[in-house]
Amino acid sequence: MSKTNVISEELFENEVQEELEFLGWEKANFNRPDFREFIDFNTLNDKIIEINQTSPEIAQNAINEIRKHFENDFLSSNLNGFKILLEGIKIYDKNSDLYLTINLISSNYKENKYEFARQMQFSNGNELRIPDITLFINGLPIAIMELKNSLAVEGLEDAFNQNESLKRHSPNLWMFNAINFVSNRVSSKYGSTNANFKHFYGWNSWDISGSNPIKYLFDRESIIEIIKNYTFYTNEQKPVKYLAAPHQIEAVKNTIKNLKESQDNRGGVIWHTQGSGKSVTMVFLARAIMNNFAKSTILMVTDRNVLDQQLFLRFLNAENYLRNKSVNIGSRKELISELNDKKHFGIYFTTVQKFAEETGVLSNRDDIFMLVDEAHRSQNNLDGEKTLSKVTEEFIVKFGYGRYMRDAFPNAKIIGFTGTPLMKMDKDTRSIFGDFTHIYSMENAVRDGATVPINYEMRRTKISLDNKYTDLMDQLQFDYIKTLDQDDILSDQKVDNLIKNINHSLILENDDIIKAKVIDLIQHFKKRANLLNNKAMIVANSRKAAFKYYKNILALYPEYKDKVILVMTESNKDTDPEMTEAIVKKSDVNNAANEFRKPNSKYKIAIVVDMWLTGFDVPDLDVMYLDKVIKWHNLMQAIARVNRTFEDRETRKTKESGLIVDYIGIWKHLADALIQYSSGTDNKLDINIEDVVKAKEKLEEIFQILDDNYIKGITNFSNLDSKAKYNFVIKKTDELLALSNEERNKFIKIARKANRFFKIAYSSITEEESTICKGIQIINSLILTTSLQRDENLVLTIDAIKRAAEQAINANASQVEILESKISKNINDVARILQTEAEGLINSAPRVAAELFRHSIEALIKETERIRPVFAKKASEKLKKIILRLQENEDIERVIEMLRQLSKEIINENNKELEFEDIQLQAFFEVVADDNYLGYNNNSETLRRIAIDLMDKVKDHVTGQFNTNPKVQSHVLFELKKLLKNKYGYPPDALGGVSGILFDKIKNEIRINPDYFRKDD
């Protein structure tokens, strides 16, 4: 098919027609009495007879029944039509005295007739409307295409609005509609019949992984699959129609394939970023499991003590689609009863906390499919968390939920869902669920419009401190440090402990500071009143801080009475009756949540601490005021509260972005998370197989050194019972504390090395080795805590500094000033935001600025290495050298200038024109071009061919085990060497051998993006 650029709508229609014809669609020959007819009843009649092997009389009765379901509004009409498409029509057959189910479309795609009509006219009796292309299956109009010239002023939303107008004009044209499709070739989007434009999915390119939007959606087999399995209406009072997005379809297909091929019942992990429809994906997958595995029971496992009401409701409302009513399980006993009573089928909801302890085998059935939500931290610790119990005087091993779940259902198939990435070192989660079957990152979701971009704004708090008390704090710290032995390694730990004990809650709970923040916050909030529905969430650092926010808002802005709610768990430790009265009662939380979700909610501000930060969707929530330190998974789940898409059908207001307003300086944690989260992969801990093997060898050496010199018997530690382990740890700690500072310092350094090697070799550590390592860690920790407890001077100094700190910040509200930040950018643009922050701090805090510049460059390098891995590696080495200079106390201005220059170099490199559009192919080209022999002895065209050949060869031979199996690596590299030698004469005899550096770089490229290199089916 021609790939020429579209310069007119007609040429674009021609191209779409060619593609449809290539896929097996035929031009419709539609004979109808007038333009008000929208179904080809002649074709439909013939196909009903053929598909159902029935009589013309029955076929005519079915058509008569269809006419009875015409409606005056498109929603009612489509609801009727969709039900008929899925369930067929019941027709009484007088010959057999039975009701027959007559299907209009066959599930076997080959039995249907596929037709298209261009510029077909439809009348409502008053005026004509002409959609660009209408698609028919067996004479039923199942898709409307509105196409635009890519150069036209009109955009996709104009095309969408034309179809919206067509719904009002010809409601019954939409009776059997499955897909509403709009495109200008540059961008293509599709949605369900009643979806607003914000909930359309699509692509910003015509070429999508060797396919295109027409082929992806309208391949004959694909469109039948979409109608039958990837579309459903909810059974609510106001039904909502769901149509799967591409990432949901791919996730389901990959997981079903994985389940069929898996030899160990691990179905894999689906990582779909928060806000991208993860719960709906779970519904689609549940349906697919029941379709593909005849005898199947679904067990939904959520990660909250209180059942995830939103997810449960999602499944309840899909009862017709799933052909099962979901059941909430209250106890393990009830679960066993249900599974024994109902041998097949059924969807049951339970919480992971029901597997907090060993239960024994609950069911040996092999037809149970466990879908586990938030499959990361809570499922960890397969090897067990080892701790000392002072109560029982035992060494306790506590396993994670995942271990107990697996033991309870040993033959069940298990699939994990997460909105946050798994770490490369997260061996436990992978051991339970397997590897990713599909990734849909934050960057993907924003690009596709599945979520809105999140902007970030920092509003710093400037606090006037009393110098008298800050000087006192410095003096107290100085006096204490003078008492320490500078040769004792524990002295550093004591100073760290001193600093950590000056709790930031002193500032975050200060009355005057909160008052100043409230004034700024409400003014900021009021300025946004007309952007959407004026709805916000305040995340406070603690219960006390949250209540102070609540009180200050009502005191300073009484007009917000009944518009602000305080949502946090009730506690019997609360002594303030006013606070107890202000908190939304536990019994009312669900009602408050439902009210807050309403677009016209009476509540405008929700103040929270931990509740509502995960699994709570309010689509029109567009601003979060953050005054709490949150990290990693929790931070990403929290900020995702504002990334949902939203369009108000009445006002037509749409949510263009969400906003995080940062009052605490969370950006460092946010940047760390985003560098990893936005790309959809975790390359931060790039540890190869050789590193793991060496680390394990070093760890074994350390075990022997410690057994010979410091902890006699540690190599036998795992064989002791829990009581003996406890006594062993206590005895060895006392012996080590009795040593000289010099000897004790040697032990601490060795113990720290053991911990470091343990983390690197974690993926290959045995349970015995894990137990030994934990014993060493506990002994080391006990030495530190005992030293801290025995240091009475440290305790007194901490108390004195805390009192001075409280007095130092005892300022009036007028002395607290909010410094408005100029930043308000997409949080995914990590590098640019960090750099802007750094520039603003060069004069006032140059070392902080240097640190921010470093993180900015790291983000740039992370972005660069996907396309230009060789340059990224060199830039990374440069950065290390600059940071080393910083640590060696070189002039800070000189270091900052070097960081600035390196940043410019990376940006300039990123702006250079690429050799290939395919990013991964470009990366291979860069690797090949950097090789000493290939780079200097071949022209650019030859290098291009080598890069293409190498990548094709990798795709032919790489498997999912490449990163973990040395044999697979050796096989792939052997094939590459053979290709280079036979086709390109590399290496020449004079060179003496293949460049090991070249193949190391190729191996790293495969490690970075293994899924890319798997051969397409």
Side-chain angles (χ1 to χ4, degrees):
M1 193 179 115
S2 171
K3 299 290 183 186
T4 55
N5 289 330
V6 177
I7 56 173
S8 75
E9 192 172 308
E10 183 182 1
L11 286 173
F12 184 23
E13 281 188 33
N14 291 343
E15 184 177 21
V16 172
Q17 175 177 330
E18 288 177 28
E19 187 63 64
L20 288 169
E21 289 174 337
F22 178 77
L23 295 172
W25 293 74
E26 302 170 2
K27 187 176 284 190
N29 182 17
F30 199 159
N31 296 314
R32 50 184 174 159
D34 62 54
F35 292 154
R36 286 176 294 182
E37 201 75 272
F38 58 91
I39 295 175
D40 184 349
F41 285 111
N42 291 331
T43 298
L44 179 60
N45 183 80
D46 293 343
K47 296 309 292 184
I48 287 176
I49 294 170
E50 181 184 326
I51 291 169
N52 298 278
Q53 295 294 295
T54 191
S55 67
E57 182 184 1
I58 294 293
Q60 187 57 53
N61 289 341
I63 288 172
N64 293 339
E65 193 65 27
I66 290 172
R67 292 183 185 277
K68 294 178 185 178
H69 288 82
F70 292 167
E71 300 284 356
N72 292 324
D73 70 280
F74 82 92
L75 278 176
S76 301
S77 186
N78 187 253
L79 187 59
N80 293 339
F82 181 74
K83 186 176 181 181
I84 292 171
L85 280 182
L86 256 59
E87 300 175 11
I89 302 175
K90 298 291 184 185
I91 300 296
Y92 176 70
D93 179 14
K94 61 185 178 183
N95 293 325
S96 63
D97 194 26
L98 294 173
Y99 276 93
L100 305 179
T101 299
I102 302 300
N103 294 309
L104 307 189
I105 291 178
S106 173
S107 296
N108 181 351
Y109 78 94
K110 295 178 182 178
E111 295 179 351
N112 300 310
K113 186 172 185 179
Y114 304 84
E115 298 175 295
F116 67 89
R118 286 178 62 174
Q119 302 296 320
M120 191 170 188
Q121 298 181 357
F122 295 98
S123 172
N124 62 1
N126 295 315
E127 59 176 334
L128 289 174
R129 292 293 301 275
I130 309 173
D132 289 330
I133 297 179
T134 309
L135 300 185
F136 297 88
I137 298 180
N138 299 343
L140 303 172
I142 55 88
I144 302 291
M145 294 182 173
E146 188 60 39
L147 309 177
K148 292 295 176 188
N149 177 354
S150 57
L151 302 179
V153 176
E154 294 175 304
L156 290 189
E157 194 159 2
D158 295 303
F160 169 80
N161 289 332
Q162 279 183 241
N163 280 351
E164 287 295 285
S165 173
L166 184 60
K167 290 173 186 176
R168 294 188 292 273
H169 175 274
S170 303
N172 288 311
L173 173 60
W174 298 83
M175 182 175 184
F176 296 101
N177 180 267
I179 295 180
N180 186 357
F181 180 85
V182 295
S183 177
N184 62 4
R185 200 182 193 279
V186 174
S187 295
S188 302
K189 288 184 177 291
Y190 73 96
S192 71
T193 314
N194 62 358
N196 57 38
F197 189 66
K198 275 290 179 184
H199 288 106
F200 267 44
Y201 323 112
W203 307 269
N204 293 320
S205 170
W206 189 251
D207 296 307
I208 46 174
S209 303
S211 182
N212 62 55
I214 303 301
K215 185 176 180 180
Y216 187 91
L217 293 171
F218 302 110
D219 171 84
R220 293 180 304 163
E221 188 173 6
S222 297
I223 186 63
I224 296 300
E225 185 79 1
I226 287 171
I227 292 170
K228 296 284 187 180
N229 296 312
Y230 291 107
T231 311
F232 71 92
Y233 264 106
T234 60
N235 39 288
E236 300 171 85
Q237 192 172 2
K238 292 183 178 179
V240 177
K241 190 176 186 182
Y242 285 95
L243 170 60
H247 67 274
Q248 293 171 321
I249 294 172
E250 295 308 311
V252 171
K253 285 183 176 179
N254 291 356
T255 303
I256 293 298
K257 182 173 183 286
N258 204 44
L259 285 168
K260 288 179 177 179
E261 296 175 354
S262 175
Q263 301 298 311
D264 56 13
N265 291 329
R266 292 184 304 163
V269 179
I270 295 173
W271 166 20
H272 283 183
T273 194
Q274 294 96 340
S276 63
K278 180 161 60 81
S279 63
V280 180
T281 305
M282 297 174 93
V283 173
F284 285 127
L285 180 60
R287 160 84 174 219
I289 287 171
M290 290 184 287
N291 283 348
N292 284 273
F293 300 90
K295 298 176 179 179
S296 54
T297 296
I298 308 290
L299 183 58
M300 302 293 305
V301 184
T302 64
D303 185 27
R304 296 177 189 88
N305 277 307
V306 179
L307 179 73
D308 186 338
Q309 290 294 336
Q310 275 190 194
L311 185 58
F312 183 57
L313 190 62
R314 177 79 73 199
F315 271 71
L316 277 181
N317 286 332
E319 180 182 345
N320 293 339
Y321 171 68
L322 295 169
R323 299 188 291 274
N324 273 280
K325 184 172 184 178
S326 299
V327 178
N328 175 19
I329 298 296
S331 65
R332 285 199 295 264
K333 184 177 179 181
E334 184 184 350
L335 179 59
I336 295 169
S337 174
E338 286 284 347
L339 292 176
N340 289 338
D341 183 51
K342 202 171 186 179
K343 290 297 183 184
H344 306 300
F345 314 114
I347 300 173
Y348 302 102
F349 271 72
T350 187
T351 58
V352 74
Q353 284 76 17
K354 289 187 176 62
F355 304 98
E357 60 188 14
E358 192 169 355
T359 63
V361 176
L362 298 183
S363 176
N364 273 313
R365 285 170 51 184
D366 62 2
D367 59 356
I368 294 173
F369 292 78
M370 302 178 74
L371 275 60
V372 184
D373 194 18
E374 299 305 338
H376 44 267
R377 296 154 299 154
S378 61
Q379 279 77 49
N380 288 345
N381 295 326
L382 278 185
D383 295 329
E385 182 182 342
K386 292 90 175 175
T387 57
L388 283 184
S389 170
K390 292 181 180 179
V391 178
T392 62
E393 295 189 349
E394 289 181 297
F395 185 90
I396 303 295
V397 180
K398 177 73 173 176
F399 294 100
Y401 300 133
R403 167 74 174 265
Y404 296 130
M405 271 196 303
R406 261 279 158 241
D407 291 346
F409 301 97
N411 299 316
K413 295 175 177 63
I414 190 164
I415 304 106
F417 282 79
T418 183
T420 52
L422 308 183
M423 307 300 115
K424 272 191 189 264
M425 301 296 284
D426 192 353
K427 177 185 77 170
D428 290 338
T429 303
R430 284 184 166 84
S431 295
I432 298 166
F433 301 101
D435 284 322
F436 288 122
T437 55
H438 195 262
I439 293 173
Y440 193 63
S441 68
M442 179 184 291
E443 187 178 4
N444 298 142
V446 172
R447 181 198 64 210
D448 294 343
T451 61
V452 298
I454 302 176
N455 291 335
Y456 172 87
E457 184 175 326
M458 183 182 287
R459 299 176 78 79
R460 294 192 191 86
T461 311
K462 181 181 179 181
I463 307 168
S464 298
L465 297 174
D466 190 325
N467 290 336
K468 181 176 73 174
Y469 292 106
T470 55
D471 291 344
L472 175 59
M473 290 164 66
D474 290 341
Q475 189 61 48
L476 287 166
Q477 183 175 326
F478 178 73
D479 291 344
Y480 173 72
I481 290 172
K482 282 199 303 184
T483 67
L484 298 175
D485 181 351
Q486 299 305 309
D487 294 324
D488 187 355
I489 202 168
L490 291 173
S491 295
D492 291 338
Q493 300 279 6
K494 290 179 179 181
V495 174
D496 287 344
N497 189 260
L498 175 68
I499 294 168
K500 286 176 183 175
N501 269 278
I502 312 306
N503 200 312
H504 59 260
S505 64
L506 290 172
I507 294 174
L508 297 177
E509 293 176 1
N510 180 271
D511 292 325
D512 297 322
I513 293 173
I514 288 179
K515 182 178 180 181
K517 287 179 180 177
V518 164
I519 293 170
D520 180 75
L521 184 154
I522 295 297
Q523 288 174 351
H524 182 277
F525 182 60
K526 286 183 174 181
K527 288 177 185 176
R528 298 174 55 83
N530 295 321
L531 288 182
L532 202 60
N533 289 335
N534 204 216
K535 198 177 285 185
M537 183 178 283
I538 299 171
V539 184
N541 183 66
S542 64
R543 298 169 61 78
K544 188 183 289 185
F547 180 53
K548 288 181 178 181
Y549 263 106
Y550 180 80
K551 281 202 305 181
N552 272 282
I553 290 174
L554 296 188
L556 296 169
Y557 303 94
E559 68 270 26
Y560 279 91
K561 189 178 187 302
D562 299 325
K563 294 181 180 180
V564 181
I565 49 173
L566 180 60
V567 184
M568 51 191 188
T569 51
E570 296 177 278
S571 173
N572 55 16
K573 296 179 182 178
D574 293 337
T575 56
D576 186 341
E578 190 182 355
M579 178 175 169
T580 303
E581 184 62 28
I583 298 170
V584 174
K585 300 294 179 284
K586 185 178 180 180
S587 58
D588 293 332
V589 167
N590 284 339
N591 290 335
N594 291 334
E595 174 61 33
F596 194 54
R597 287 191 189 101
K598 295 177 183 176
N600 58 348
S601 174
K602 62 183 179 182
Y603 300 135
K604 295 301 176 186
I605 299 174
I607 303 171
V608 304
V609 179
D610 294 308
M611 288 181 71
W612 289 7
L613 292 183
T614 60
F616 178 64
D617 291 347
V618 182
D620 64 337
L621 177 69
D622 67 335
V623 60
M624 173 181 282
Y625 297 99
L626 200 55
D627 200 21
K628 177 180 182 175
V629 175
I630 316 176
K631 299 178 183 179
W632 288 105
H633 300 88
N634 293 333
L635 176 57
M636 297 310 295
Q637 287 175 330
I639 66 171
R641 297 313 99 207
V642 299
N643 79 344
R644 272 52 174 173
T645 60
F646 176 78
E647 180 177 355
D648 193 310
R649 286 188 179 275
E650 294 181 9
T651 65
R652 307 301 292 175
K653 286 183 179 179
T654 59
K655 183 172 167 184
E656 300 300 333
S657 63
L659 177 64
I660 301 297
V661 179
D662 179 5
Y663 280 105
I664 195 172
I666 201 77
W667 175 248
K668 169 61 175 67
H669 303 302
L670 193 54
D672 284 345
L674 284 165
I675 289 170
Q676 176 175 329
Y677 281 46
S678 61
S679 65
T681 55
D682 169 26
N683 306 320
K684 197 169 184 179
L685 299 172
D686 188 18
I687 298 171
N688 61 33
I689 294 169
E690 292 78 5
D691 294 331
V692 172
V693 172
K694 289 175 185 174
K696 195 163 191 246
E697 290 173 355
K698 290 286 185 184
L699 190 61
E700 289 167 356
E701 289 176 15
I702 286 174
F703 288 165
Q704 200 56 54
I705 291 170
L706 290 174
D707 197 291
D708 292 342
N709 298 282
Y710 295 99
I711 316 176
K712 186 67 178 175
I714 189 65
T715 52
N716 191 50
F717 183 66
S718 62
N719 297 322
L720 303 177
D721 62 33
S722 60
K723 206 80 169 173
K725 283 175 182 166
Y726 178 89
N727 293 329
F728 180 90
V729 166
I730 297 300
K731 180 184 176 185
K732 296 302 176 183
T733 300
D734 287 340
E735 290 175 1
L736 287 162
L737 284 168
L739 295 176
S740 66
N741 281 352
E742 183 180 358
E743 283 301 307
R744 192 169 64 241
N745 286 347
K746 286 180 183 178
F747 164 75
I748 291 171
K749 288 177 180 177
I750 294 171
R752 288 176 178 174
K753 279 185 180 179
N755 191 39
R756 184 162 62 88
F757 289 131
F758 170 72
K759 288 179 178 177
I760 295 173
Y762 185 59
S763 60
S764 62
I765 290 291
T766 65
E767 190 168 334
E768 179 185 2
E769 290 165 336
S770 174
T771 302
I772 294 172
C773 280
K774 192 60 183 181
I776 296 168
Q777 289 172 26
I778 288 176
I779 291 170
N780 192 33
S781 297
L782 284 172
I783 290 172
L784 171 61
T785 54
T786 304
S787 299
L788 294 176
Q789 289 166 1
R790 290 178 180 177
D791 192 337
E792 293 182 7
N793 194 17
L794 174 61
V795 177
L796 293 172
T797 303
I798 288 171
D799 287 341
I801 291 178
K802 278 185 176 180
R803 287 195 299 273
E806 287 173 353
Q807 290 171 303
I809 61 172
N810 187 20
N812 296 320
S814 59
Q815 293 177 282
V816 180
E817 177 189 355
I818 301 294
L819 298 180
E820 228 180 289
S821 171
K822 295 178 181 177
I823 295 176
S824 182
K825 294 177 181 171
N826 191 323
I827 61 169
N828 287 297
D829 197 354
V830 177
R832 193 170 289 113
I833 296 177
L834 282 167
Q835 190 161 357
T836 307
E837 276 294 287
E839 295 286 355
L841 292 171
I842 287 174
N843 295 326
S844 59
R847 288 202 165 267
V848 176
E851 184 70 9
L852 288 173
F853 269 122
R854 177 172 75 86
H855 284 292
S856 169
I857 292 169
E858 285 175 348
L860 282 171
I861 290 172
K862 186 65 64 179
E863 182 182 326
T864 305
E865 72 177 354
R866 292 169 54 242
I867 306 172
R868 302 190 186 280
V870 175
F871 178 83
K873 179 73 173 173
K874 292 174 181 176
S876 182
E877 289 167 357
K878 268 190 182 181
L879 179 61
K880 285 178 184 176
K881 290 178 182 177
I882 296 172
I883 296 306
L884 186 62
R885 292 193 178 193
L886 180 65
Q887 292 168 348
E888 292 172 350
N889 294 318
E890 184 163 319
D891 179 59
I892 190 66
E893 290 183 6
R894 170 68 181 142
V895 170
I896 286 176
E897 187 52 41
M898 292 168 70
L899 289 168
R900 275 174 158 167
Q901 185 58 39
L902 178 57
S903 179
K904 286 178 184 176
E905 288 175 18
I906 299 172
I907 291 169
N908 289 339
E909 185 71 19
N910 286 342
N911 289 335
K912 287 183 181 178
E913 189 175 345
L914 301 179
E915 291 280 339
F916 299 93
E917 288 185 13
D918 186 318
I919 290 175
Q920 200 60 53
L921 191 52
Q922 175 68 30
F924 256 57
F925 177 80
E926 297 272 331
V927 167
V928 172
D930 189 61
D931 182 75
N932 286 337
Y933 175 76
L934 293 175
Y936 287 115
N937 292 275
N938 290 284
N939 60 38
S940 178
E941 190 52 43
T942 303
L943 289 178
R944 289 170 64 89
R945 289 201 306 271
I946 293 174
I948 293 168
D949 286 346
L950 284 174
M951 199 168 77
D952 286 344
K953 186 64 73 174
V954 169
K955 281 193 170 188
D956 284 335
H957 294 281
V958 82
T959 73
Q961 296 182 341
F962 183 88
N963 286 342
T964 56
N965 191 331
K967 288 183 179 178
V968 174
Q969 286 191 9
S970 297
H971 175 67
V972 172
L973 298 184
F974 172 75
E975 291 296 330
L976 297 185
K977 290 176 184 178
K978 191 165 68 172
L979 166 70
L980 288 172
K981 185 67 176 176
N982 294 342
K983 190 168 182 178
Y984 297 101
Y986 172 85
D989 295 336
L991 199 62
V994 175
S995 167
I997 297 172
L998 172 65
F999 286 103
D1000 283 343
K1001 289 173 182 173
I1002 291 175
K1003 281 163 62 179
N1004 191 55
E1005 279 306 302
I1006 302 170
R1007 269 200 297 268
I1008 286 174
N1009 196 359
D1011 290 337
Y1012 182 90
F1013 296 103
R1014 292 177 187 166
K1015 194 75 173 176
D1016 295 333
D1017 294 331

